[in-house]
Amino acid sequence: MPYSQVAQIREAAQRIASRCPQMRVEESILCRIAMLLGRDLVSRLNELIAPAGLAELEYRLLLILFSHGGSASPGELCGLLTQSPANLTRISNLLTARGLVTRAPHPEDRRRLVVSITPAGEKLVRDLMPCLTAGLGALFDDFTAEDRQRFLDYLLRLMRALDEVPRSTHAEQV
Amino acid sequence: MPYSQVAQIREAAQRIASRCPQMRVEESILCRIAMLLGRDLVSRLNELIAPAGLAELEYRLLLILFSHGGSASPGELCGLLTQSPANLTRISNLLTARGLVTRAPHPEDRRRLVVSITPAGEKLVRDLMPCLTAGLGALFDDFTAEDRQRFLDYLLRLMRALDEVPRSTHAEQV
DNA sequence: TTCTGATATTTCACAGATGAAATATTCAGC
DNA sequence: GCTGAATATTTCATCTGTGAAATATCAGAA
């Protein structure tokens, strides 16, 4: 019932704005709904892969290996998944225990490891693909090619803004 | 550095698609970036309120009370914050300990409580408002009114789709 | 070579969040 | 009124995620 939250968000924003006139109502609503949508999309992904016994990060780790020549070091995976090294250790332990990835020492740098997807892991990724295409891709069924392009443009503008704005905020504090 | 992830997402999607032709590349990219944006927006919110010693849910609980006549029961707050009752107990403990909210028995139903924002809590919400307006509202500075309207429309379409699609997926499994 | 500093991974202690059991209260039907 | 089902909140066990310390290795300067 994600959509049912939208009315509440709008109403709350209006009530807050009536007491804090400086608030930017439309932007606040957009921001809050974008947060909510992100959370709900991740939840949907989790629901779709739960039958396979995977959680989001476990699946994405497999997917990265799958799209990455089959292996990567934990450090690289930290960057690609934006997760802490500690959490990456935990996740690869889980996947290793299930036989979906293996860990081996890096041939040239003994500090590092090489995490590799196994045939079973690759099969799992391939098996889940139709389910995800159906379950997530279908959300965009009423988007035209132009809609997709515009929506992507908005998302990217906000991502860039997130890169830019913090500096200006910091600058004010100096 | 949120935006730097975008190139990786695009490349990974292309490589996956080359091995799984049924994949819907554009939709996958949109979906992944929308998840990422949601996460990054929440992170930004957390950074902005961290100086006040608050985390996202603590702030949003205060904001809901602020926009809601000053008080609500834990059960209502669970719904509005989409959080478990257990977590709501934890959060109100924290806020109560800091004197930002109070908890009192409900006058008519002794199972319930009434969580109320204190003057200190209200002051904190008001004090944070300019900072949030600047830090989050500014992300939309290059959006025209028409952009905001279109973007909202896309977000709402996806929220509605999240309500619709799961039923169809379930239906297939039956 | 050897020392120093940087890098990679794991371990540990702890914060954040959840589901399920426990507790207390209300409400409906008899 | 009583009994049993439903509701509201807290407690408890557990899972997920993080920062910081510990460990091991590498790379460069003297």
Side-chain angles (χ1 to χ4, degrees), chain A:
Chain A
M1 26 169 60
Y3 187 73
S4 64
Q5 300 249 332
V6 170
Q8 296 170 348
I9 292 174
R10 285 181 191 271
E11 289 160 21
Q14 288 299 342
R15 286 193 300 265
I16 295 165
S18 71
R19 302 176 60 188
C20 300
Q22 87 267 31
M23 196 183 83
R24 297 166 67 166
V25 182
E26 283 185 49
E27 289 89 338
S28 300
I29 293 172
L30 285 175
C31 198
R32 179 80 196 92
I33 295 181
M35 291 180 193
L36 191 56
L37 178 66
R39 209 167 274 188
D40 290 339
L41 287 172
V42 173
S43 299
R44 174 59 45 88
L45 171 60
N46 270 307
E47 289 166 22
L48 291 169
I49 61 183
L54 291 178
E56 182 215 352
L57 290 173
E58 294 155 26
Y59 171 70
R60 281 183 47 215
L61 172 38
L62 289 178
L63 195 60
I64 286 174
L65 292 179
F66 180 82
S67 75
H68 223 252
S71 55
S73 74
E76 294 173 281
L77 293 169
C78 281
L80 294 167
L81 290 167
T82 16
Q83 292 295 305
S84 66
N87 202 28
L88 211 113
T89 299
R90 188 182 63 84
I91 296 170
S92 17
N93 284 342
L94 289 173
L95 294 176
T96 303
R98 292 187 53 189
L100 302 173
V101 307
T102 59
R103 262 176 306 191
H106 191 285
E108 290 161 12
D109 184 342
R110 284 190 295 177
R111 291 170 302 182
R112 279 196 257 175
L113 298 176
V114 179
V115 181
S116 305
I117 193 168
T118 64
E122 200 164 317
K123 176 169 189 318
L124 188 52
V125 168
R126 288 188 188 276
D127 289 350
L128 282 172
M129 196 66 68
C131 162
L132 290 173
T133 299
L136 293 178
L139 299 174
F140 295 88
D141 275 351
D142 69 345
F143 277 54
T144 66
E146 189 187 358
D147 286 333
R148 291 195 296 269
Q149 181 54 52
R150 277 220 188 99
F151 184 52
L152 179 62
D153 180 57
Y154 291 140
L155 294 175
L156 296 183
R157 278 206 231 171
L158 288 170
M159 296 292 280
R160 277 191 294 264
L162 277 167
D163 282 347
E164 300 300 330
V165 175
R167 285 162 204 151
S168 62
T169 312
H170 268 212
E172 285 165 22
Q173 290 177 353
V174 172

